[in-house]
Amino acid sequence: MGPPWLFKGSALYQLHLVKAEVARAFIPKDFKLVEAFGYTLGGFFLARYEDNPVSKFDELVVIAGIVWSPPTSCAWAARVLVHNEEACRHGRKVFYEPNTL
């Protein structure tokens, strides 16, 4: 089943100031890092998805920082970890092999 997908569950954000020089190591050069006074906003996102097209799973996202992607900005994930093999396969297919959907 292709996009759009609907994920239902609960989540917790923990935001932190991250030194821009550290965040840049995880951000592709094509994107502009949103920063002020040498920092960007990063942190952690922890979610438990109870209802979605794959199966129930937990996800931990390490957010490197905020990038500018016109016409808006968005969080850039440095790492995404899931505890379910099926969810892992689905994520790899969607984000690393998007033309196979």
Side-chain angles (χ1 to χ4, degrees):
M1 178 199 297
W5 299 285
L6 181 61
F7 289 77
K8 294 181 181 179
S10 57
L12 172 71
Y13 277 98
Q14 178 67 51
L15 301 175
H16 298 276
L17 290 176
V18 177
K19 288 187 178 183
E21 63 189 50
V22 173
R24 275 194 196 93
F26 298 96
I27 312 266
K29 304 234 183 284
D30 299 353
F31 292 97
K32 180 178 177 1
L33 184 65
V34 175
E35 61 178 285
F37 307 106
Y39 289 89
T40 188
L41 192 60
F44 299 92
F45 170 79
L46 180 62
R48 171 160 284 168
Y49 299 110
E50 300 291 339
D51 184 19
N52 63 77
V54 181
S55 65
K56 292 182 181 183
F57 69 96
D58 296 333
E59 176 181 59
L60 173 64
V61 179
V62 180
I63 302 167
I66 305 297
V67 296
W68 176 244
S69 181
T72 187
S73 59
C74 59
W76 187 265
R79 297 281 187 271
V80 178
L81 306 165
V82 296
H83 89 291
N84 175 302
E85 188 63 35
E86 186 178 358
C88 183
R89 281 193 303 272
H90 178 77
R92 286 180 176 160
K93 183 175 182 177
V94 169
F95 293 105
Y96 294 108
E97 304 166 17
N99 296 327
T100 62
L101 292 176

